[in-house]
Amino acid sequence: MAPILQLKGITKQFPGVLANDHIDLTLNQGEILALLGENGAGKTTLMNILYGLYQPDEGEILVNGEKITIHSPTDAINAGIGMVHQHFMLIPVFTVTENVMLGSEPVKAGDFLDRPKTAAKIMEISSQYKLEVDPNDYVKDLPVGVQQRVEIIKLLYREANILIFDEPTAVLTPQEADDLFVIMRSLVKQGKSIIFITHKLREVLDVADRIMVIRRGAVVGEADPKQANRNKLAEMMVGREVNLVVEKDIKKPGDVILSIKDLVVTDQFKQVMVDKVSFEVHAGQILGIAGVQGNGQTELVEAITGLRKSVSGEIKFKGQSILNEPPRKITELGSAHVPEDRQADGLVLPFPVAENLVLCTYYKEPFSRGVVLQYEKILENSEKLVQDFDIRTPSSLTTVGSLSGGNQQKVIIARELSRPIELLVASQPTRGLDVGSIEYIHKRIVQKRDEGCAVLLVSPELDEVIELSDRIAVMYRGKIIALLEAEEVAKETLGLLMAGIVPDKIEKPQGQRVVETTF
Amino acid sequence: MGKKDLEKQDIGKTILEELTGGEPKEKRQKRGIWKILQIPALAILTGLIIGAVLIMATSFDVYDAFKVSLWKGLGTAFAEVGEAYLALITGSLGNPVEIVQALLYGDALDFRNAINPILESLVQSTPYIFAGLACALGFRAGLFNIGVEGQLFIGAAAATFVGYSLTGLPPYIHMPLAFLAGALGGALWGMVPGLLKATTGGHEVINCIMMNYIAYRFTTFLLTGPMSRPGTGGMPVSPIIEKSAQIPQFFKTPIRFHLGFFIALAFAALVWWVLFKTTLGLNLRTVGTNPRAAKYAGMNIIATTIIGMAASGALAGMAGANEVLAVNRSMAIGLSAGYGFDSIALALLGNSHPVGVIFAALLFGVLKNGATKMMVVSTIPIDIVTILQAVILIFVAAPAIIRSVYRLKQPKVEAAAIMLSGWGGVK
Ligand SMILES: Nc1ncnc2c1ncn2[C@@H]1O[C@H](COP(=O)(O)OP(=O)(O)OP(=O)(O)O)[C@@H](O)[C@H]1O
Ligand SMILES: [Mg+2]
């Protein structure tokens, strides 16, 4: 029997980059194929071609052994190909049912929408594949993980057989990710086939039936998850050995750089999100904030960086109060911020890489003299940072919006870490990055700490927090419910704390702790 | 944001990319001049064809001729269209035969007269350049300045007042002073909606529209009251502007070509420089493209919004000042031929880029000038020309129509997919 999907010699050239270079790919019915590759390797491009968003320059696509052409997502859907996008394409103020029926609305007598029929079908799909949702819920009320389920139901509703997931876990909490894997397993068991893109090697090993690795647009090889290990995969991806464990000496922390006392912050609905939080970060120390997303971390970070007004309390940076000060003042005192939502806050997508790299310093020497921007200097700076941080871009004038997700992130990291700072506030600094880049960015963060910078790290990735932090604060429902030395706490205990359960006795790790890495 | 910008596909954007090098060199070189011009050229062609049909369908002569015979009808129809379009072209760009003859046999005066149609088109383009720049600057800063018309009236009134009330000043002081007064008037008028938006969040579109009404009534009041010309029996006309404040015309009447055109070009260059080469411009563009990132980068969004509206208003005021100081030499109520509203179309056509705006303004100027001539020569009502203008505009602004009519290949289907290659936004 012919494989359900075959790509032959797919080639796609963008100005300055060969994004896909004669890629061959085979997907068998009922398997999960993991697509691995560095940032900018061309994974998303390949999937966009398959989904009809780009036209390949060369190559052909075969579904069930038959050659087809895909000019638009509609063609793709007709061929049974569906894609779950990283940005969900859902309408928040519609219900699940309405979102699912959108675009192929069934009608009943008199041209009325047949909601009950769709709802019934959703329930059917939902129980068949263990995709729990309530068809009558409004999408805006659903957590991200459930929104993603709605996206999957949309595809199944349209009878897609080939499902593409492009970094689905990047926006999920670890718990939600595990739920997703259960769903994926149940999908393939019932005959669907899946292409799964991720940067997290452990996920690949857990869930994939087969692994394909691409580097710089070309296939470099396949691996069997039963035999491969993370080190080997990382090496295949990056083309060199990757050190998966963060190397970090014990360091004595210096003076207090950031001190927060009884801080109260509310969200836009005046709901208290940060509830009387107090902690300190010292020079040369990394304080990690662990916690399931949505427990006030976002608001805490925004308050510290001046993006959100606090209600009460105290925030001091180097002894000086920065409570409710404007962001520029806080930046100028020597702080840097890697924002959680990079596309919304951290970048201006239609602007070139060079301008984005000076977004916080453009008004200062040497990037401007008086009011005149010094483009030679801005470009020089950009060339240097592109080199140093290995940002894969055709040129400094390329718009940031056309870079791959991981490279967009590197632009922010490069901008924030390249200036002299005493405080780094980093929200999920490695989200969406490949192992090589994670290794590099972790090294840079540790290096900043060694230089005496205070680092506040917020990450829902428990492993990343454990690996990098000197001290760990666990945030739950707006409160810091535990503040621990990183050396002294077992991962399991942290897991419990994150769920709001405070054990009687904080358990210490047994003997030499094996640090599980992020990837 | 993002999406919309990326999907926008028009002449201005293409020119912009060609000129500013927004993309790598290899790509720029690949695209020929035809690629840049094909959409506007085909749009104009299509507009002319539709206009021809309209001309035929609205002419009584044609109907009468058809009553005689089919051939006579068709003949008359095409003759009328031919006559009209010949007038349109010679009226706006000049008659090549006359130009050549003037060059060979005539004196300087003949030559000037022969090229006057082109010069007159430039005169007509000038207010469009100023007004288009006003809107474009606003768009770049994320502001929809629909109040250009009102700012233009206030600018004209301010320039007129300084122009006639001060006497005895040397031209090199009086003229710039009057012009600046116009800019200032427009700036103040534009600043009000800017302030309201920045401080209270009131939408600038609504406030601009309201400010337009106030501007109309206020200038009517001025022209019939404090600024009315004595001895006209209450006609809404201002006194004549002092010679020292007039923007000089280069040739004798009837040639009206004046310095204002070059001032407009200079301001286009200035706007380009400010937008793309200065910190203020980066502020404006960032606030206009992604306000959240602007806030993150520590930009002062309130100040930027106010400055953006004021600068946009200043340019609008200059459009008014230009008309009274260079062309009319006094202010009357029928000052603007809807420049303020056309400016929105201009800015969109020119992709809010100064160079694009200049080209769009030239197109408008040529059409408007040619239209006047067409009306004089043939019996075609000016309304047909307005329709023609609108049709061309629709086609230029919606290149998808032109592409599907002429089966052109979509150059960048890719654009829509960019948003999918990035990620990071939860919710
Ligand atoms: N629309 C586009 N225009 C120009 N270049 C593009 C476009 N889309 C992608 N590219 C380039 O093609 C290359 C491959 O990008 P792609 O998004 O496929 O990478 P990826 O493997 O998905 O990376 P990541 O893991 O970071 O998401 C990158 O160098 C990128 O800059
Ligand atoms: Mg990608």
Side-chain angles (χ1 to χ4, degrees):
Chain A
M1 198 182 78
I4 187 149
L5 174 76
Q6 260 182 302
L7 302 182
K8 286 189 181 164
I10 298 285
T11 300
K12 178 78 193 173
Q13 172 89 48
F14 285 120
V17 230
L18 190 55
N20 287 166
D21 182 8
H22 296 93
I23 291 190
D24 296 323
L25 176 150
T26 309
L27 178 69
N28 297 310
Q29 154 128 44
E31 76 170 350
I32 299 179
L33 172 70
L35 203 54
L36 266 184
E38 295 174 277
N39 295 124
K43 308 176 293 291
T44 300
T45 305
L46 187 67
M47 292 306 113
N48 280 341
I49 288 174
L50 190 52
Y51 195 56
L53 291 168
Y54 294 153
Q55 295 305 310
D57 302 333
E58 263 178 61
E60 50 190 46
I61 300 170
L62 288 84
V63 173
N64 286 322
E66 258 175 69
K67 196 177 161 216
I68 58 161
T69 48
I70 302 175
H71 287 296
S72 68
T74 318
D75 291 349
I77 289 163
N78 289 339
I81 301 170
M83 182 152 163
V84 175
H85 303 279
Q86 279 156 345
H87 283 141
F88 303 146
M89 310 279 176
L90 298 172
I91 300 174
V93 295
F94 280 13
T95 63
V96 171
T97 308
E98 286 163 344
N99 267 290
V100 170
M101 62 204 276
L102 202 69
S104 53
E105 303 88 352
V107 286
K108 56 186 174 192
D111 228 20
F112 287 106
L113 292 174
D114 198 347
R115 283 199 188 77
K117 195 172 145 203
T118 313
K121 185 132 182 248
I122 292 176
M123 291 308 285
E124 199 187 305
I125 294 172
S126 147
S127 66
Q128 189 184 351
Y129 298 100
K130 304 197 174 54
L131 285 155
E132 274 167 54
V133 297
D134 182 345
N136 298 319
D137 278 347
Y138 283 94
V139 163
K140 64 174 161 43
D141 301 332
L142 300 175
V144 180
V146 181
Q147 290 189 13
Q148 194 171 51
R149 259 178 246 164
V150 178
E151 284 281 9
I152 299 171
I153 289 175
K154 255 168 75 183
L155 302 183
L156 297 172
Y157 182 80
R158 287 168 180 69
E159 279 151 13
N161 290 316
I162 302 167
L163 306 176
I164 305 169
F165 290 88
D166 191 355
E167 294 189 46
T169 54
V171 291
L172 300 183
T173 62
Q175 179 55 42
E176 286 173 328
D178 288 341
D179 294 347
L180 175 68
F181 298 145
V182 173
I183 292 166
M184 283 167 66
R185 278 270 143 236
S186 117
L187 284 168
V188 289
K189 209 173 281 162
Q190 298 179 56
K192 307 284 179 192
S193 318
I194 293 177
I195 300 180
F196 170 50
I197 299 177
T198 182
H199 286 294
K200 295 176 190 159
L201 301 179
R202 188 182 358 209
E203 295 178 357
V204 174
L205 293 173
D206 275 358
V207 78
D209 296 311
R210 211 151 50 82
I211 302 168
M212 194 176 111
V213 182
I214 58 180
R215 192 193 315 148
R216 302 202 176 225
V219 178
V220 290
E222 288 207 8
D224 179 352
K226 288 188 201 71
Q227 280 148 31
N229 61 37
R230 287 188 289 146
N231 285 307
K232 197 178 135 209
L233 286 179
E235 200 178 321
M236 270 177 93
M237 265 171 74
V238 187
R240 64 175 166 85
E241 217 174 291
V242 179
N243 188 357
L244 295 175
V245 182
V246 179
E247 280 167 26
K248 176 172 126 232
D249 310 328
I250 307 284
K251 250 199 104 196
K252 238 187 124 39
D255 301 340
V256 176
I257 296 289
L258 179 72
S259 102
I260 289 175
K261 228 193 234 145
D262 295 331
L263 184 69
V264 178
V265 188
T266 58
D267 66 6
Q268 60 267 47
F269 309 111
K270 300 268 177 272
Q271 204 172 335
V272 174
M273 294 305 284
V274 178
D275 191 2
K276 296 236 158 117
V277 161
S278 307
F279 62 83
E280 286 176 346
V281 192
H282 294 253
Q285 180 187 54
I286 301 177
L287 177 76
I289 298 206
V292 176
Q293 253 177 309
N295 276 288
Q297 299 98 316
T298 310
E299 288 77 11
L300 174 66
V301 166
E302 286 179 349
I304 296 171
T305 51
L307 293 175
R308 185 184 285 273
K309 292 261 177 284
S310 312
V311 177
S312 65
E314 197 180 276
I315 309 175
K316 280 190 174 157
F317 178 22
K318 296 189 286 183
Q320 191 175 344
S321 172
I322 53 164
L323 189 80
N324 294 338
E325 289 291 341
R328 179 158 293 173
K329 181 160 176 223
I330 299 170
T331 310
E332 292 205 324
L333 282 171
S335 89
H337 176 202
V338 176
E340 174 185 314
D341 191 340
R342 60 202 99 262
Q343 295 202 334
D345 290 313
L347 296 169
V348 189
L349 295 180
F351 285 7
V353 171
E355 283 182 353
N356 274 286
L357 281 170
V358 293
L359 204 59
C360 298
T361 45
Y362 67 94
Y363 58 94
K364 288 208 280 223
E365 294 257 12
F367 303 127
S368 64
R369 216 175 287 146
V371 299
V372 187
L373 292 167
Q374 302 296 313
Y375 269 98
E376 313 86 74
K377 291 283 186 302
I378 291 173
L379 284 174
E380 229 169 72
N381 170 67
S382 166
E383 297 293 329
K384 183 169 174 296
L385 293 181
V386 165
Q387 269 281 314
D388 288 359
F389 286 79
D390 190 25
I391 302 168
R392 302 275 164 86
T393 172
S395 88
S396 289
L397 295 175
T398 309
T399 53
V400 158
S402 72
L403 297 190
S404 77
N407 282 299
Q408 293 181 357
Q409 175 69 357
K410 285 198 212 167
V411 170
I412 297 180
I413 298 275
R415 178 181 70 213
E416 297 304 304
L417 293 192
S418 61
R419 49 197 159 91
I421 48 169
E422 284 174 80
L423 173 68
L424 171 65
V425 181
S427 268
Q428 312 187 18
T430 57
R431 190 160 85 173
L433 292 187
D434 66 44
V435 278
S437 311
I438 292 178
E439 177 199 25
Y440 182 76
I441 282 165
H442 281 177
K443 243 197 246 163
R444 293 293 271 223
I445 291 177
V446 171
Q447 188 192 336
K448 276 281 165 200
R449 156 210 187 243
D450 290 343
E451 287 167 7
C453 181
V455 179
L456 183 67
L457 170 78
V458 181
S459 175
E461 299 275 353
L462 193 45
D463 295 327
E464 180 165 57
V465 173
I466 293 179
E467 253 181 276
L468 282 176
S469 309
D470 299 306
R471 270 172 84 73
I472 298 175
V474 182
M475 207 160 168
Y476 181 73
R477 300 229 170 126
K479 286 189 191 304
I480 298 229
I481 58 167
L483 196 57
L484 314 149
E485 289 300 320
E487 314 296 306
E488 290 173 0
V489 58
K491 188 178 171 190
E492 295 67 37
T493 316
L494 278 178
L496 286 177
L497 284 167
M498 280 168 68
I501 304 161
V502 185
D504 302 336
K505 187 170 120 282
I506 302 288
E507 235 173 272
K508 296 198 176 187
Q510 312 262 302
Q512 168 75 37
R513 190 176 64 199
V514 186
V515 178
E516 286 267 330
T517 47
T518 320
F519 348 108
Chain B
M1 41 115 265
K3 246 187 297 177
K4 221 171 53 202
D5 292 335
L6 293 165
E7 278 163 10
K8 231 192 278 168
Q9 266 292 321
D10 48 351
I11 166 71
K13 171 153 185 149
T14 318
I15 291 173
L16 173 157
E17 282 168 356
E18 297 297 317
L19 293 169
T20 57
E23 46 186 56
K25 274 223 170 56
E26 312 90 80
K27 190 169 172 193
R28 259 190 289 160
Q29 281 157 358
K30 253 191 258 165
R31 228 183 300 153
I33 188 89
W34 165 239
K35 277 266 167 64
I36 310 170
L37 289 180
Q38 66 179 11
I39 297 290
L42 291 173
I44 292 170
L45 182 76
T46 316
L48 290 177
I49 293 171
I50 292 180
V53 175
L54 274 175
I55 291 171
M56 292 177 193
T58 53
S59 161
F60 289 111
D61 292 348
V62 174
Y63 287 111
D64 289 341
F66 267 115
K67 277 180 202 143
V68 180
S69 82
L70 179 68
W71 290 117
K72 192 140 190 336
L74 282 178
T76 317
F78 280 102
E80 290 233 344
V81 171
E83 186 194 17
Y85 282 170
L86 194 69
L88 181 75
I89 292 166
T90 54
S92 59
L93 301 173
N95 182 346
V97 181
E98 266 178 40
I99 295 176
V100 172
Q101 273 178 354
L103 265 180
L104 294 179
Y105 313 112
D107 53 19
L109 185 69
D110 288 337
F111 179 65
R112 266 183 258 139
N113 285 339
I115 61 165
N116 187 26
I118 301 186
L119 296 178
E120 183 58 25
S121 292
L122 298 184
V123 171
Q124 301 279 7
S125 304
T126 309
Y128 283 123
I129 299 180
F130 281 118
L133 286 175
C135 240
L137 190 113
F139 280 141
R140 287 279 170 180
L143 297 164
F144 196 161
N145 183 3
I146 199 168
V148 171
E149 188 81 357
Q151 293 144 19
L152 184 149
F153 269 89
I154 297 297
T160 308
F161 181 74
V162 173
Y164 75 76
S165 63
L166 300 180
T167 48
L169 288 174
Y172 56 87
I173 292 180
H174 199 182
M175 199 252 303
L177 200 67
F179 192 73
L180 282 181
L184 204 69
L188 283 174
W189 218 251
M191 217 167 89
V192 176
L195 262 168
L196 288 172
K197 177 172 187 155
T199 54
T200 68
H203 202 287
E204 75 272 18
V205 167
I206 294 169
N207 291 327
C208 278
I209 294 174
M210 296 308 138
M211 291 299 282
N212 280 349
Y213 287 125
I214 301 175
Y216 298 148
R217 300 300 162 244
F218 184 52
T219 42
T220 312
F221 159 73
L222 286 179
L223 290 180
T224 48
M227 278 174 66
S228 74
R229 189 187 301 180
T232 51
M235 286 273 285
V237 185
S238 80
I240 294 186
I241 290 165
E242 288 288 309
K243 203 141 194 85
S244 56
Q246 294 178 0
I247 293 176
Q249 297 182 346
F250 295 117
F251 308 108
K252 286 201 198 68
T253 28
I255 304 177
R256 306 196 294 174
F257 188 54
H258 58 79
L259 186 66
F261 178 71
F262 294 103
I263 300 177
L265 292 187
F267 270 98
L270 183 72
V271 168
W272 174 82
W273 182 77
V274 169
L275 275 178
F276 299 104
K277 298 289 163 195
T278 67
T279 51
L280 174 64
L282 192 62
N283 280 346
L284 287 168
R285 286 185 295 127
T286 308
V287 170
T289 322
N290 185 352
R292 282 183 61 177
K295 187 174 174 194
Y296 162 87
M299 296 171 182
N300 186 338
I301 296 182
I302 292 185
T304 308
T305 304
I306 296 171
I307 293 174
M309 273 308 290
S312 177
L315 288 161
M318 288 179 208
N322 171 78
E323 284 303 277
V324 292
L325 297 179
V327 182
N328 301 333
R329 269 80 206 269
S330 70
M331 184 173 171
I333 217 66
L335 161 77
S336 165
Y339 298 122
F341 299 112
D342 287 347
S343 68
I344 298 163
L346 279 166
L348 287 177
L349 260 176
N351 197 46
S352 305
H353 192 282
V355 178
V357 166
I358 291 178
F359 281 108
L362 289 175
L363 176 68
F364 270 57
V366 163
L367 279 176
K368 187 157 167 253
N369 183 29
T372 322
K373 185 78 180 294
M374 190 160 119
M375 193 177 54
V376 174
V377 171
S378 56
T379 50
I380 294 155
I382 193 154
D383 309 69
I384 293 286
V385 182
T386 315
I387 294 175
L388 205 87
Q389 220 165 331
V391 170
I392 292 176
L393 208 77
I394 289 171
F395 287 133
V396 181
I401 307 177
I402 288 293
R403 262 193 217 105
S404 67
V405 169
Y406 295 95
R407 310 250 179 279
L408 298 179
K409 233 183 91 189
Q410 177 91 19
K412 269 205 241 163
V413 249
E414 263 96 68
I418 288 179
M419 56 184 217
L420 303 174
S421 71
W423 60 276
V426 191
K427 273 172 246 178

